[in-house]
Amino acid sequence: MTQDVKQVSNTRVLISKIPEGVSPNKSHFRTVTLTEAAPVLKENEVFVKNITFSLDPYIRYVFPEGETESSVVGFAISRVIDSKNPKVPVGALVLAPSHWETYTHIHEPQYLNDIVVLDDVANPNVPLSAYNGVLGVPGFTVWDSLKSIGNLKKGETIYISSAAGTLGQLAGQLAKRQGLRVIGSAGSQEKLDFLKNELGYDVVFNYKTQDKRAALTEAVGKEGLDIYYDLVGDDTVEIALDLLNYGGRILYVGILAGHHNQEPVPPKNLSNILMKKLRYEGYIVFDRYQHLGEFWKEVTPLVAQGEIKFKEVIVKAGVESLPENYIKLLNGAFTGKVNVQVTDL
């Protein structure tokens, strides 16, 4: 089934390859608007009009090898306007890897496998934008990383960096539901109040205004630390290695510091991994999508009933606004998940 579209006016954001150690800025992006012929689809391909983009820090790293400039790849909620895919009907709302542009031709095999028809899974009591955040890939990342490598146990203490972001919000609440004591850090009083008063974090501190080692040591107390949920990838890991209990775990899930042009700081106390039998493990979500159904079954009712809370920002602006809002995201201007809605549903 197809929809008769011959030509489209397509506004597209292009990104230059950003060297390691350089923070993204406006000079790395440019926007073009072109009149293009609608694609003639091959088997299983899909043509969509993008509605709401998910802003995620990692997009700078999704870059074709050997290229100096590329269209930006990220997840979006989109409307299908043409399809040769029997599982993705015309008119459906989908969550899919897309490009920062008005219309996207999804033809890459690795992206076709990741299309989710939201009409099949969306809960009417949940905002659709949640499927870019707490019920989307960010939320699934948290749920699956805690479940598959976290080995959470009631009574343990977990510390979550960048706790007011999309991942940190859910990580703290899931840990609390399993009976853990939860410590979090953020960079403003507004974010700390949100973590403490709305999400139920036990202890919070401001990593910008407080000494991190002193604040985390005090927060952990005599019971010690069992899990460090690392969403930043900075020198905090050295502090955590000192504070972790025997058999503790570091879950390395995010590299926010790398997006801010912070040089990696190798910890000087790696011997603690050996002497305390610690586990230091990285997590990548992209080979784990087979578990999405389990995630939705468990977490969707909690979100719909308000047992899992989340904060999001929806910026209503055009495709050309995406770079500016992406840079603001990296600079900590928002609390929670950031969506850019470029057109109405």
Side-chain angles (χ1 to χ4, degrees):
M1 183 177 181
T2 62
Q3 183 168 314
D4 189 20
V5 177
K6 302 296 184 184
Q7 282 190 329
V8 295
S9 177
N10 207 359
T11 298
R12 178 178 296 120
V13 176
L14 302 172
I15 183 172
S16 302
K17 187 168 181 61
I18 304 172
E20 287 293 331
V22 175
S23 296
N25 60 61
K26 289 184 179 180
S27 71
H28 295 120
F29 299 90
R30 69 184 182 98
T31 303
V32 297
T33 299
L34 304 169
T35 299
E36 300 175 330
V40 177
L41 302 183
K42 297 178 182 178
E43 184 179 1
N44 290 325
E45 294 181 353
V46 177
F47 189 48
V48 301
K49 183 174 184 180
N50 296 310
I51 300 169
T52 303
F53 289 93
S54 170
L55 291 192
D56 300 291
Y58 69 81
I59 64 99
R60 65 174 290 179
Y61 296 107
V62 185
F63 205 92
E65 189 172 348
E67 298 292 329
T68 58
E69 186 177 60
S70 173
S71 57
V72 183
V73 179
F75 274 84
I77 294 170
S78 311
R79 179 79 68 183
V80 178
I81 60 173
D82 197 0
S83 176
K84 285 293 182 68
N85 190 320
K87 297 180 180 178
V88 186
V90 169
L93 281 171
V94 296
L95 174 66
S98 195
H99 296 274
W100 283 9
E101 58 191 1
T102 313
Y103 297 90
T104 295
H105 175 200
I106 306 176
H107 59 89
E108 303 91 339
Q110 69 271 29
Y111 295 153
L112 288 170
N113 292 333
D114 294 338
I115 297 174
V116 174
V117 178
L118 290 175
D119 307 82
D120 296 340
V121 301
N123 186 303
N125 297 316
V126 174
L128 198 62
S129 55
Y131 290 89
N132 265 343
V134 66
L135 291 176
V137 174
F140 175 63
T141 296
V142 173
W143 176 87
D144 190 57
S145 61
L146 290 175
K147 197 176 187 70
S148 61
I149 65 175
N151 191 26
L152 275 61
K153 301 182 183 69
K154 184 177 180 179
E156 290 186 323
T157 296
I158 184 172
Y159 165 56
I160 301 166
S161 54
S162 190
T166 312
L167 278 66
Q169 289 183 32
L170 183 58
Q173 292 179 87
L174 292 179
K176 286 293 290 182
R177 292 182 66 83
Q178 294 193 47
L180 278 74
R181 180 170 177 264
V182 180
I183 301 167
S185 58
S188 74
Q189 190 60 47
E190 176 192 359
K191 292 178 179 180
L192 296 180
D193 291 343
F194 171 65
L195 293 172
K196 185 82 170 176
N197 301 331
E198 297 188 45
L199 301 189
Y201 269 67
D202 295 289
V203 185
V204 296
F205 67 89
N206 189 323
Y207 72 91
K208 290 183 178 179
T209 61
Q210 296 176 257
D211 178 87
K212 284 188 293 186
R213 179 174 287 274
L216 185 54
T217 301
E218 181 180 354
V220 165
K222 63 181 181 180
E223 295 175 353
L225 182 65
D226 299 292
I227 303 168
Y228 175 32
Y229 195 77
D230 187 1
L231 295 171
V232 179
D234 66 358
D235 57 359
T236 306
V237 70
E238 185 168 301
I239 303 169
L241 286 169
D242 283 339
L243 296 176
L244 280 163
N245 292 325
Y246 188 87
R249 287 87 74 201
I250 298 175
L251 281 61
Y252 190 18
V253 184
I255 52 172
L256 191 58
H259 306 312
H260 286 293
N261 191 23
Q262 293 183 25
E263 288 291 330
V265 182
K268 301 180 179 66
N269 53 352
L270 288 175
S271 60
N272 281 329
I273 296 175
L274 172 65
M275 302 307 293
K276 295 196 282 188
K277 289 193 69 175
L278 306 178
R279 195 172 80 239
Y280 191 165
E281 187 167 353
Y283 173 88
I284 291 290
V285 72
F286 299 119
D287 61 351
R288 301 286 299 175
Y289 289 147
Q290 68 270 26
H291 300 289
L292 264 171
E294 303 166 52
F295 162 68
W296 281 323
K297 183 177 180 181
E298 179 179 328
V299 180
T300 301
L302 300 176
V303 175
Q305 295 160 17
E307 295 184 45
I308 291 289
K309 299 178 175 65
F310 66 98
K311 183 172 284 192
E312 63 177 4
V313 176
I314 300 177
V315 179
K316 294 189 176 182
V319 170
E320 67 280 356
S321 76
L322 287 163
E324 178 183 359
N325 284 297
Y326 173 67
I327 293 165
K328 288 170 69 176
L329 165 72
L330 295 183
N331 290 333
F334 303 106
T335 300
K337 178 64 193 174
V338 183
N339 298 280
V340 176
Q341 183 177 331
V342 297
T343 189
D344 294 331
L345 291 174

